[in-house]
Amino acid sequence: MSELELYRLPSSMTPLLPAANTTLRALAAELLLHSSKLSSAFNPYTRSAIVKLVEPMNSYYSNLIEGHNTHPLEIEKALKKNYSTEPKKKLLQLESRAHVLVNHKMKEKLLEVKDPYNWEFISWLHKEFYVHMPEEYKIVETKTGNKLNVIPGEMRKTEVEVGHHIGPAAESLNAFLNFFEEGYAPNKIPDPIDRIIAVAASHHRLAWIHPFLDGNGRVVRLFTEAIAITEKIDGDGLWSVSRGLAIKNKDYYSALHNADQKRWNDHGGHGNLSEKFLVEFCIFFLETAIDQTKFMISLFEPDKVLARIKEFVEIMVIRGELEKESRYVLEEAILKGRLIRGDMQRITGKSENIARRIMNDLIDKELLVSESDELRSAVRINFPIRYAPYIFPKLFPKDIEATMMD
Ligand SMILES: Nc1ncnc2c1ncn2[C@@H]1O[C@H](COP(=O)(O)OP(=O)(O)OP(=O)(O)O)[C@@H](O)[C@H]1O
Ligand SMILES: [Mg+2]
């Protein structure tokens, strides 16, 4: 595409939403149903402990799509500011930490954001992510060998290419982003099911605009997560679309690529871009999301979680790392979310001293954490990343999990 042929008119990204479609509506309704099941899993304390595990997992997969494979144990260390002495590993750790922090902060930010389709919010995501990004990852090399700096939160000033797609002209980005915000505004799409379909469609359209010099993929996925929260399909943070997109990375890229295509003929829809491929993208996205919610629902079946806790404690006992009565403490902690320290004797059936030691071992292993510095009488359940393969298997890829269990 030559300079003159760049997209300059926002109407060139129409349609923003596919026309009424029963398949899409059924998928959106199914996603709503599954995600609301997740919102009622366990109790609020256990749920927030799981969210603390899902956030780094989400980050793991979103960076993996970018080709950055950071070992989950390295992410766990990075969150404690414990960095590798190997420079390359440290860069990945800093990047993961930046991603986890913005992912978390985004949820607080949403309490004050009225419309996440607004550019201010999207650029905030990029800014919060990139200000903490190592300098080495803020440099982009163009095809002609020029080095450009990625400025946190700033729109690109040069043209970009992603796959076979060339994003709209840099000087027209404002117009495209305004059109994007207005087109997906609640008064334009008032129906809640259509708004869920818009979560899928807007994912492609924002990636298609490609507003930043780099970091678009991860910011678009964070943005999609934010929209999922406002449309109440995020299962209170208990599932991650990036896990699904990373597992089906090839299909994700080809669905994005197809949806970039212009409409072929008058039967191809009502806008400039192909509606048929936008529908296919939305189907791909919603099916991926549904798969992820179903996976998480099955992972959180209480009986199965308790059976895994039993096995986990057995392994830890053999290793000499926990006492066998820890099992009852963990079971009750998961089912209730928080325990009073004074309850340990009753739960373990042991003397005060032994019960305290059992609890302290669990605190050392970070399976229990003190509620707060003031409220030291209560402890809450916690799920360190390193034990995820035992307690919540398959969150990470199989080969990676194998290296976490040594
Ligand atoms: N054909 C396409 N059309 C639109 N968007 C695309 C296409 N192919 C890929 N993308 C999106 O662009 C992202 C890559 O853009 P960019 O390198 O700016 O983002 P990143 O965050 O640095 O990397 P990554 O997205 O791979 O994590 C992909 O992740 C994907 O979301
Ligand atoms: Mg990139």
mmCIF file with all atom_site columns, all heavy atoms in Angstrom, residues 63-74:
data_model
loop_
_atom_site.group_PDB
_atom_site.id
_atom_site.type_symbol
_atom_site.label_atom_id
_atom_site.label_alt_id
_atom_site.label_comp_id
_atom_site.label_asym_id
_atom_site.label_entity_id
_atom_site.label_seq_id
_atom_site.pdbx_PDB_ins_code
_atom_site.Cartn_x
_atom_site.Cartn_y
_atom_site.Cartn_z
_atom_site.occupancy
_atom_site.B_iso_or_equiv
_atom_site.pdbx_formal_charge
_atom_site.auth_seq_id
_atom_site.auth_comp_id
_atom_site.auth_asym_id
_atom_site.auth_atom_id
_atom_site.pdbx_PDB_model_num
ATOM 1  N N   . ASN A 1 63 ? 2.064  -12.022 27.276 1.00 0.00 ? 63 ASN A N   1
ATOM 2  C CA  . ASN A 1 63 ? 3.443  -11.820 26.830 1.00 0.00 ? 63 ASN A CA  1
ATOM 3  C C   . ASN A 1 63 ? 3.909  -12.963 25.930 1.00 0.00 ? 63 ASN A C   1
ATOM 4  O O   . ASN A 1 63 ? 4.703  -12.756 25.022 1.00 0.00 ? 63 ASN A O   1
ATOM 5  C CB  . ASN A 1 63 ? 4.381  -11.674 28.035 1.00 0.00 ? 63 ASN A CB  1
ATOM 6  C CG  . ASN A 1 63 ? 4.252  -10.301 28.671 1.00 0.00 ? 63 ASN A CG  1
ATOM 7  O OD1 . ASN A 1 63 ? 4.097  -9.299  27.979 1.00 0.00 ? 63 ASN A OD1 1
ATOM 8  N ND2 . ASN A 1 63 ? 4.303  -10.250 29.990 1.00 0.00 ? 63 ASN A ND2 1
ATOM 9  N N   . LEU A 1 64 ? 3.376  -14.150 26.189 1.00 0.00 ? 64 LEU A N   1
ATOM 10 C CA  . LEU A 1 64 ? 3.740  -15.301 25.359 1.00 0.00 ? 64 LEU A CA  1
ATOM 11 C C   . LEU A 1 64 ? 3.295  -15.087 23.914 1.00 0.00 ? 64 LEU A C   1
ATOM 12 O O   . LEU A 1 64 ? 3.995  -15.463 22.970 1.00 0.00 ? 64 LEU A O   1
ATOM 13 C CB  . LEU A 1 64 ? 3.083  -16.564 25.943 1.00 0.00 ? 64 LEU A CB  1
ATOM 14 C CG  . LEU A 1 64 ? 3.504  -17.900 25.338 1.00 0.00 ? 64 LEU A CG  1
ATOM 15 C CD1 . LEU A 1 64 ? 4.990  -18.170 25.588 1.00 0.00 ? 64 LEU A CD1 1
ATOM 16 C CD2 . LEU A 1 64 ? 2.674  -19.045 25.938 1.00 0.00 ? 64 LEU A CD2 1
ATOM 17 N N   . ILE A 1 65 ? 2.144  -14.464 23.728 1.00 0.00 ? 65 ILE A N   1
ATOM 18 C CA  . ILE A 1 65 ? 1.644  -14.179 22.370 1.00 0.00 ? 65 ILE A CA  1
ATOM 19 C C   . ILE A 1 65 ? 2.652  -13.284 21.643 1.00 0.00 ? 65 ILE A C   1
ATOM 20 O O   . ILE A 1 65 ? 2.874  -13.398 20.452 1.00 0.00 ? 65 ILE A O   1
ATOM 21 C CB  . ILE A 1 65 ? 0.225  -13.543 22.419 1.00 0.00 ? 65 ILE A CB  1
ATOM 22 C CG1 . ILE A 1 65 ? -0.775 -14.538 23.004 1.00 0.00 ? 65 ILE A CG1 1
ATOM 23 C CG2 . ILE A 1 65 ? -0.220 -13.082 21.030 1.00 0.00 ? 65 ILE A CG2 1
ATOM 24 C CD1 . ILE A 1 65 ? -2.163 -13.979 23.278 1.00 0.00 ? 65 ILE A CD1 1
ATOM 25 N N   . GLU A 1 66 ? 3.283  -12.427 22.400 1.00 0.00 ? 66 GLU A N   1
ATOM 26 C CA  . GLU A 1 66 ? 4.303  -11.529 21.853 1.00 0.00 ? 66 GLU A CA  1
ATOM 27 C C   . GLU A 1 66 ? 5.627  -12.280 21.626 1.00 0.00 ? 66 GLU A C   1
ATOM 28 O O   . GLU A 1 66 ? 6.565  -11.731 21.078 1.00 0.00 ? 66 GLU A O   1
ATOM 29 C CB  . GLU A 1 66 ? 4.446  -10.352 22.828 1.00 0.00 ? 66 GLU A CB  1
ATOM 30 C CG  . GLU A 1 66 ? 5.734  -9.591  22.833 1.00 0.00 ? 66 GLU A CG  1
ATOM 31 C CD  . GLU A 1 66 ? 5.808  -8.529  21.750 1.00 0.00 ? 66 GLU A CD  1
ATOM 32 O OE1 . GLU A 1 66 ? 5.052  -8.604  20.782 1.00 0.00 ? 66 GLU A OE1 1
ATOM 33 O OE2 . GLU A 1 66 ? 6.642  -7.658  21.869 1.00 0.00 ? 66 GLU A OE2 1
ATOM 34 N N   . GLY A 1 67 ? 5.692  -13.557 22.027 1.00 0.00 ? 67 GLY A N   1
ATOM 35 C CA  . GLY A 1 67 ? 6.921  -14.338 21.857 1.00 0.00 ? 67 GLY A CA  1
ATOM 36 C C   . GLY A 1 67 ? 7.840  -14.228 23.061 1.00 0.00 ? 67 GLY A C   1
ATOM 37 O O   . GLY A 1 67 ? 8.965  -14.707 23.036 1.00 0.00 ? 67 GLY A O   1
ATOM 38 N N   . HIS A 1 68 ? 7.349  -13.584 24.123 1.00 0.00 ? 68 HIS A N   1
ATOM 39 C CA  . HIS A 1 68 ? 8.156  -13.448 25.333 1.00 0.00 ? 68 HIS A CA  1
ATOM 40 C C   . HIS A 1 68 ? 7.732  -14.499 26.354 1.00 0.00 ? 68 HIS A C   1
ATOM 41 O O   . HIS A 1 68 ? 6.673  -14.384 26.968 1.00 0.00 ? 68 HIS A O   1
ATOM 42 C CB  . HIS A 1 68 ? 7.994  -12.043 25.937 1.00 0.00 ? 68 HIS A CB  1
ATOM 43 C CG  . HIS A 1 68 ? 8.699  -10.994 25.148 1.00 0.00 ? 68 HIS A CG  1
ATOM 44 N ND1 . HIS A 1 68 ? 8.786  -9.686  25.541 1.00 0.00 ? 68 HIS A ND1 1
ATOM 45 C CD2 . HIS A 1 68 ? 9.375  -11.080 23.968 1.00 0.00 ? 68 HIS A CD2 1
ATOM 46 C CE1 . HIS A 1 68 ? 9.486  -9.006  24.633 1.00 0.00 ? 68 HIS A CE1 1
ATOM 47 N NE2 . HIS A 1 68 ? 9.839  -9.822  23.669 1.00 0.00 ? 68 HIS A NE2 1
ATOM 48 N N   . ASN A 1 69 ? 8.556  -15.522 26.471 1.00 0.00 ? 69 ASN A N   1
ATOM 49 C CA  . ASN A 1 69 ? 8.209  -16.638 27.323 1.00 0.00 ? 69 ASN A CA  1
ATOM 50 C C   . ASN A 1 69 ? 8.908  -16.498 28.681 1.00 0.00 ? 69 ASN A C   1
ATOM 51 O O   . ASN A 1 69 ? 10.068 -16.843 28.818 1.00 0.00 ? 69 ASN A O   1
ATOM 52 C CB  . ASN A 1 69 ? 8.630  -17.931 26.614 1.00 0.00 ? 69 ASN A CB  1
ATOM 53 C CG  . ASN A 1 69 ? 7.996  -19.143 27.239 1.00 0.00 ? 69 ASN A CG  1
ATOM 54 O OD1 . ASN A 1 69 ? 7.531  -19.094 28.389 1.00 0.00 ? 69 ASN A OD1 1
ATOM 55 N ND2 . ASN A 1 69 ? 7.983  -20.247 26.522 1.00 0.00 ? 69 ASN A ND2 1
ATOM 56 N N   . THR A 1 70 ? 8.180  -15.973 29.643 1.00 0.00 ? 70 THR A N   1
ATOM 57 C CA  . THR A 1 70 ? 8.756  -15.752 30.977 1.00 0.00 ? 70 THR A CA  1
ATOM 58 C C   . THR A 1 70 ? 8.271  -16.876 31.878 1.00 0.00 ? 70 THR A C   1
ATOM 59 O O   . THR A 1 70 ? 7.052  -17.084 31.991 1.00 0.00 ? 70 THR A O   1
ATOM 60 C CB  . THR A 1 70 ? 8.294  -14.397 31.551 1.00 0.00 ? 70 THR A CB  1
ATOM 61 O OG1 . THR A 1 70 ? 8.377  -13.434 30.518 1.00 0.00 ? 70 THR A OG1 1
ATOM 62 C CG2 . THR A 1 70 ? 9.150  -13.977 32.731 1.00 0.00 ? 70 THR A CG2 1
ATOM 63 N N   . HIS A 1 71 ? 9.189  -17.582 32.484 1.00 0.00 ? 71 HIS A N   1
ATOM 64 C CA  . HIS A 1 71 ? 8.775  -18.718 33.305 1.00 0.00 ? 71 HIS A CA  1
ATOM 65 C C   . HIS A 1 71 ? 7.910  -18.233 34.480 1.00 0.00 ? 71 HIS A C   1
ATOM 66 O O   . HIS A 1 71 ? 8.261  -17.234 35.129 1.00 0.00 ? 71 HIS A O   1
ATOM 67 C CB  . HIS A 1 71 ? 10.014 -19.454 33.829 1.00 0.00 ? 71 HIS A CB  1
ATOM 68 C CG  . HIS A 1 71 ? 9.705  -20.819 34.327 1.00 0.00 ? 71 HIS A CG  1
ATOM 69 N ND1 . HIS A 1 71 ? 9.156  -21.033 35.571 1.00 0.00 ? 71 HIS A ND1 1
ATOM 70 C CD2 . HIS A 1 71 ? 9.827  -22.027 33.741 1.00 0.00 ? 71 HIS A CD2 1
ATOM 71 C CE1 . HIS A 1 71 ? 8.971  -22.328 35.727 1.00 0.00 ? 71 HIS A CE1 1
ATOM 72 N NE2 . HIS A 1 71 ? 9.376  -22.952 34.628 1.00 0.00 ? 71 HIS A NE2 1
ATOM 73 N N   . PRO A 1 72 ? 6.802  -18.930 34.746 1.00 0.00 ? 72 PRO A N   1
ATOM 74 C CA  . PRO A 1 72 ? 5.920  -18.487 35.839 1.00 0.00 ? 72 PRO A CA  1
ATOM 75 C C   . PRO A 1 72 ? 6.649  -18.275 37.171 1.00 0.00 ? 72 PRO A C   1
ATOM 76 O O   . PRO A 1 72 ? 6.320  -17.365 37.928 1.00 0.00 ? 72 PRO A O   1
ATOM 77 C CB  . PRO A 1 72 ? 4.893  -19.610 35.949 1.00 0.00 ? 72 PRO A CB  1
ATOM 78 C CG  . PRO A 1 72 ? 4.885  -20.248 34.603 1.00 0.00 ? 72 PRO A CG  1
ATOM 79 C CD  . PRO A 1 72 ? 6.256  -20.089 34.038 1.00 0.00 ? 72 PRO A CD  1
ATOM 80 N N   . LEU A 1 73 ? 7.669  -19.124 37.443 1.00 0.00 ? 73 LEU A N   1
ATOM 81 C CA  . LEU A 1 73 ? 8.399  -18.942 38.709 1.00 0.00 ? 73 LEU A CA  1
ATOM 82 C C   . LEU A 1 73 ? 9.212  -17.647 38.690 1.00 0.00 ? 73 LEU A C   1
ATOM 83 O O   . LEU A 1 73 ? 9.420  -17.012 39.726 1.00 0.00 ? 73 LEU A O   1
ATOM 84 C CB  . LEU A 1 73 ? 9.324  -20.141 38.982 1.00 0.00 ? 73 LEU A CB  1
ATOM 85 C CG  . LEU A 1 73 ? 8.620  -21.489 39.158 1.00 0.00 ? 73 LEU A CG  1
ATOM 86 C CD1 . LEU A 1 73 ? 9.632  -22.580 39.498 1.00 0.00 ? 73 LEU A CD1 1
ATOM 87 C CD2 . LEU A 1 73 ? 7.534  -21.419 40.234 1.00 0.00 ? 73 LEU A CD2 1
ATOM 88 N N   . GLU A 1 74 ? 9.650  -17.260 37.492 1.00 0.00 ? 74 GLU A N   1
ATOM 89 C CA  . GLU A 1 74 ? 10.368 -15.977 37.363 1.00 0.00 ? 74 GLU A CA  1
ATOM 90 C C   . GLU A 1 74 ? 9.395  -14.814 37.559 1.00 0.00 ? 74 GLU A C   1
ATOM 91 O O   . GLU A 1 74 ? 9.769  -13.758 38.065 1.00 0.00 ? 74 GLU A O   1
ATOM 92 C CB  . GLU A 1 74 ? 11.050 -15.862 35.986 1.00 0.00 ? 74 GLU A CB  1
ATOM 93 C CG  . GLU A 1 74 ? 12.060 -16.956 35.674 1.00 0.00 ? 74 GLU A CG  1
ATOM 94 C CD  . GLU A 1 74 ? 13.277 -16.905 36.584 1.00 0.00 ? 74 GLU A CD  1
ATOM 95 O OE1 . GLU A 1 74 ? 13.539 -15.857 37.176 1.00 0.00 ? 74 GLU A OE1 1
ATOM 96 O OE2 . GLU A 1 74 ? 13.957 -17.955 36.708 1.00 0.00 ? 74 GLU A OE2 1
#
